[in-house]
Amino acid sequence: QLGYMFLGVGMGAYVGASGYAAGMFHLVTQAFVKALLFLGAGSVIHALHDTQDMRQMGGLWPKLRLTGTTMLVASLAISGFPLLSGFFSKDEVLFQAFAGGKYLLWAVGLLTALLTAFYMFRLFSLTFLGKPRDQHLAEAAHESPLVMTVPLLALAALSIVGGFIGWPGSTGSALEHFLEPALHSTELDRVLSLEPAHPNKVLLAVLSAVVGLAGIALGLRTYWRRQIPDPVQERLGGAFDLMGRQYQLDDAYRAVAVGGGNALCQVAADHLDQGGIDWLVNAAARATGAAGRWLRLIQSGLVRHYALAVALGVVGIMVYLAIRVMS
């Protein structure tokens, strides 16, 4: 979803202020939906006494109808189900990409819509549908108190109607007018915008909705009655493990950034710190100690020795002055 926001903002360079407005529009709708998903997940975790592994869940709908309903709303909204908040803002971003001529980015966004719908209904199915995979855990589940469910209901309502703040989604939309002072939008921006009367907008919206619904159907078909192990994991094999390790980006980060940083710190500690800074400090200490040992030889503690040194010093000064006068 962050990618959609960046896509919308990035299209501002091609379609004017409507691109920036699309990115901001998606930010607003996702604020409702993501907050609902996070709080809904917290409600499920609370209901299951801090259990967070979906592989132990399933069949929770009878026990968590309110939480389940709000999570269903959030899942549908983020999947771009027609007339929910995510449908309007996601399609607006995709339309701006298409209108700006960035067809590859539009296609990537459309594929992302399919994946989003699939993984959200994987989450919903594994959590609420099918048979419990841990019967004891399901029997002990309980609905969350009002202090948790009332915010869920409020966010669910916003996730349903939030998309209408961008209606009709044209260059005259409220968000674009709101952003104009910051963007210094001009009439040229409006002329460059391809949005007004664009003939493909309805077709693109229908296509996006079909893709989202396909992802929802695929997620439900794959996981509704599915027990573990994960069928996608079985089909993808090693590729699933690779994606589960985030394409080994974390391993690469640990090897390059963490390992390289540690090696650099070790070099600095061994050579720069101990071999450089510590050596200088220790050398100053050794020089001071040596000077002290030499000076200690002339510090006998006897007054007559000090008096003799003063007398010799006075004589030496007088001889020096006499030589200067004579010369």
Side-chain angles (χ1 to χ4, degrees), residues 1-12 15-31 89-90 92-94 96 175 179:
Q1 304 310 310
L2 288 172
Y4 278 126
M5 297 172 203
F6 276 100
L7 177 59
V9 172
M11 293 312 301
V15 298
S18 57
Y20 300 110
M24 182 61 71
F25 184 20
H26 198 62
L27 171 66
V28 172
T29 61
Q30 290 306 299
S89 60
K90 172 179 64 70
E92 187 67 21
V93 170
L94 291 177
Q96 297 302 334
L175 272 176
L179 291 173

Side-chain angles (χ1 to χ4, degrees), residues 106 117-118 138 157 183 301:
W106 169 80
F118 177 78
L183 299 175

Side-chain angles (χ1 to χ4, degrees), residues 96-127:
Q96 297 302 334
F98 193 91
K102 303 300 179 182
Y103 304 119
L104 177 60
L105 293 177
W106 169 80
V108 170
L110 201 62
L111 174 62
T112 303
L114 176 70
L115 295 176
T116 300
F118 177 78
Y119 74 67
M120 285 310 306
F121 277 84
R122 173 184 183 272
L123 176 149
F124 186 80
S125 298
L126 290 178
T127 304

